[in-house]
Amino acid sequence: MTRPTRATPRPPRALYLAFYFPPSRASGVFRARATANLLAERGWEVTVHSAPREFFARYIDSYDASLEASVHPAVRVERPPMSYFRWERDLRRYGPLRANLPVLANAAYNWAQANVFPEHYASWIPHVLRHALRAHLRRPFDVVIASGNPFASFAAAWLIGRLTRVPYVLDYRDAWTFNQFTEELKFPPRSRAWEWEARVLRDAAEVVFVNEGMLRWHAERYPFAAGRMRVVPNGWEPEILGAASGAATAGEASGGGRRPGPLRFGYLGTVTSYMPLEELFDGWRLARAHPELADAELLVHGHLGFFPHDAAPLMERIPTGEGLGVSYRGPVEKARVGEVYRDLDVLLFCVPGARYVTTGKVFEYMATGKPVVSVHRPGIAAEEVLRGYPLWFAGEELDAADVAASMVAAARAARTLTPARTRAARAHAARFTRAATLTPWERRLRALAASRGAQVGAASGSDAGTGADAGERLLHGEGARR
């Protein structure tokens, strides 16, 4: 007699709504890529919905083709279309309505922004719905994850959840309704944005934030969702940093310390208008008068802003022509990040000052095991992870004198750095690898997916989920028009 065998459980299936995903070079791409990769590594079937490549390459010129190679091969990436109304400047690419009745077209667009969904990416939502529902009818998803910004992904997740009963999770890597750099509200009290934010939070299975400050702000404003809010910090990838985060260099291992030559201070990351560049370079002017830094260099690596028009005004704020040893080295491909870190002696953590700002770079900086100088307003969220790092140098105020004092102290530490102190610094950073920060979240997502599977099986014995008829009605629609 043959005994019945238990069916092998299928892997959990996730739909990940991440508008900014490789090949985009936006800062939020790295969290999204790391999340998708880790889920795939842990056996999930992952489908990512991202923006069209054309949007990154043609309309915002924020594109790095090399980043696509770093996406796990098992991750399926789909690119639902969208309207480029907000970005299109070529009259030949206008749709018929805009080309023939531009005033009416603009009025209709502005009305939709004010009365339907107040975000320029809103046109992505119906196309995400069509792609998602079509895929769900074939192979049902167990959980939907939405990354913001943009927050059209949150609205799409909510709509998918309403139609299919698939639970969704919101990932606030940025704030929606307030500016985390200026700490000011982005929308007037009667804006639809507040209605939408309350709506998506009310039905979310879980809501995650990059730091405690952002969680507290949202928990106070939306107490009905506070019990479902969690922190999932950013982190760093050992495979990207390579030797910069691994074993001691030859010099460190032999006790010889750093490489010979002038000290190299460096910043690696996107340079933005919010950064305290004046305080950074005023502090550098003072510090370079000290014997410890007499011949030191300050190297700036990275893009100047996120868009082409950002570059010129930012370049004017970098004093490369004053004989201070300051130079701008340009963008760095992800494959070369470890090499750049390896050649620097002191890292300059220069970021906008706000309680809600962490940034992903702080984790990479710590992973190098090298001195880190803070150039930001005291009290920002990044200090939560820097606290306990043995090579962190920060003043009590954001001014030239305190920045200079921190630079001098870091220079001394770099010249006398021992293998033991490097190991201690890297041990602190090891708590923040992507695997360490994302694993607890992956376990909660897996439990959520398992719960979803049990509910569907009990309700229908079918693999199709609910809301199929409603989904069918949304599968047919007009393509994106400019």
Side-chain angles (χ1 to χ4, degrees):
M1 179 177 176
T2 303
R3 289 187 176 183
T5 59
R6 180 178 297 178
T8 302
R10 67 168 177 80
R13 297 173 185 147
L15 173 62
Y16 193 5
L17 308 182
F19 185 93
Y20 288 108
F21 198 77
S24 167
R25 64 172 182 85
S27 57
V29 159
F30 305 108
R31 179 178 176 94
R33 180 196 59 185
T35 302
N37 283 352
L38 182 126
L39 292 177
E41 290 164 5
R42 301 289 169 88
W44 289 69
E45 290 183 14
V46 182
T47 299
V48 173
H49 281 186
S50 177
R53 284 189 182 85
E54 182 183 34
F55 178 74
F56 303 134
R58 175 183 176 86
Y59 291 99
I60 64 172
D61 194 16
S62 179
Y63 188 92
D64 183 350
S66 69
L67 288 174
E68 288 191 280
S70 65
V71 177
H72 194 287
V75 174
R76 177 184 178 88
V77 181
E78 297 185 4
R79 302 187 181 278
M82 60 183 285
S83 167
Y84 302 125
F85 190 98
R86 171 66 175 78
W87 300 273
E88 186 59 76
R89 296 294 179 266
D90 186 343
L91 299 179
R92 296 167 298 180
R93 297 171 68 90
Y94 280 11
L97 177 63
R98 191 179 188 187
N100 293 286
L101 298 168
V103 175
L104 180 60
N106 285 331
Y109 181 84
N110 292 334
W111 182 91
Q113 287 289 299
N115 296 282
V116 181
F117 192 80
E119 190 176 67
H120 295 302
Y121 308 91
S123 66
W124 193 55
I125 298 171
H127 301 288
V128 168
L129 281 175
R130 279 195 286 275
H131 279 244
L133 293 171
R134 185 179 291 117
H136 181 71
L137 291 172
R138 291 195 302 265
R139 292 176 65 80
F141 297 111
D142 299 305
V143 65
V144 177
I145 308 164
S147 174
N149 73 56
F151 299 96
S153 62
F154 285 15
W158 178 81
L159 288 163
I160 293 167
R162 295 280 287 187
L163 291 171
T164 65
R165 304 288 178 87
V166 174
Y168 66 88
V169 175
L170 305 178
D171 180 12
Y172 275 86
R173 69 169 197 277
D174 291 316
W176 182 352
T177 48
F178 80 96
N179 185 322
Q180 65 254 45
F181 299 111
T182 65
E183 303 186 14
E184 298 174 340
L185 299 182
K186 289 182 179 179
F187 299 95
R190 298 177 66 85
S191 170
R192 286 276 187 175
W194 301 107
E195 296 178 24
W196 270 105
E197 185 162 53
R199 180 180 294 134
V200 300
L201 287 173
R202 193 174 301 279
D203 292 344
E206 182 174 271
V207 187
V208 303
F209 301 90
V210 293
N211 58 55
E212 288 285 351
M214 284 184 61
L215 184 151
R216 286 194 297 269
W217 189 94
H218 288 84
E220 290 171 4
R221 191 167 193 102
Y222 304 104
F224 58 81
R228 289 173 278 123
M229 294 179 177
R230 302 286 186 274
V231 171
V232 177
N234 283 317
W236 59 279
E237 293 99 339
E239 64 273 17
I240 291 175
L241 293 192
S245 63
T249 64
E252 291 169 342
S254 65
R258 56 174 293 275
R259 54 161 182 75
L263 284 173
R264 288 181 181 169
F265 286 65
Y267 172 84
L268 173 57
T270 300
V271 180
T272 72
S273 60
Y274 289 109
M275 290 168 50
L277 296 177
E278 284 69 31
E279 288 83 354
L280 169 65
F281 293 117
D282 286 347
W284 178 254
R285 290 182 180 94
L286 293 178
R288 209 156 181 273
H290 194 281
E292 289 280 359
L293 283 83
D295 56 354
E297 300 173 309
L298 195 163
L299 314 180
V300 179
H301 297 268
H303 290 277
L304 297 178
F306 295 106
F307 307 106
H309 63 264
D310 295 332
L314 286 168
M315 193 66 216
E316 290 177 0
R317 297 172 63 189
I318 302 175
T320 56
E322 296 184 19
L324 297 171
V326 176
S327 61
Y328 172 60
R329 298 299 179 92
V332 178
E333 290 186 358
K334 212 57 179 170
R336 289 191 53 244
V337 165
E339 175 187 331
V340 171
Y341 281 130
R342 186 192 63 217
D343 291 341
L344 296 174
D345 301 300
V346 178
L347 301 171
L348 300 170
F349 183 56
C350 182
V351 293
R355 291 173 293 171
Y356 308 105
V357 175
T358 302
T359 82
K361 282 298 173 187
V362 67
F363 301 97
E364 287 187 3
Y365 280 23
M366 293 190 303
T368 66
K370 296 185 177 186
V372 174
V373 172
S374 274
V375 185
H376 54 73
R377 195 177 77 189
I380 72 170
E383 291 183 356
E384 297 172 9
V385 296
L386 280 164
R387 197 166 291 115
Y389 184 71
L391 293 169
W392 177 35
F393 300 88
E396 295 182 359
E397 301 290 340
L398 176 57
D399 59 31
D402 275 17
V403 169
S406 296
M407 288 177 170
V408 171
R412 292 189 182 119
R415 291 187 187 281
T416 60
L417 193 59
T418 64
R421 206 170 182 196
T422 299
R423 286 193 297 270
R426 288 176 175 162
H428 176 86
R431 300 158 49 204
F432 301 102
T433 62
R434 289 289 190 186
T437 60
L438 291 176
T439 290
W441 190 27
E442 187 273 336
R443 289 172 181 158
R444 295 197 303 273
L445 291 172
R446 187 175 292 273
L448 187 62
S451 173
R452 155 71 182 168
Q455 289 173 6
V456 170
S460 64
S462 163
D463 201 33
T466 60
D469 291 338
E472 290 274 9
R473 293 194 294 271
L474 288 173
L475 295 182
H476 308 287
E478 189 176 343
R481 298 304 298 267
R482 294 178 178 86

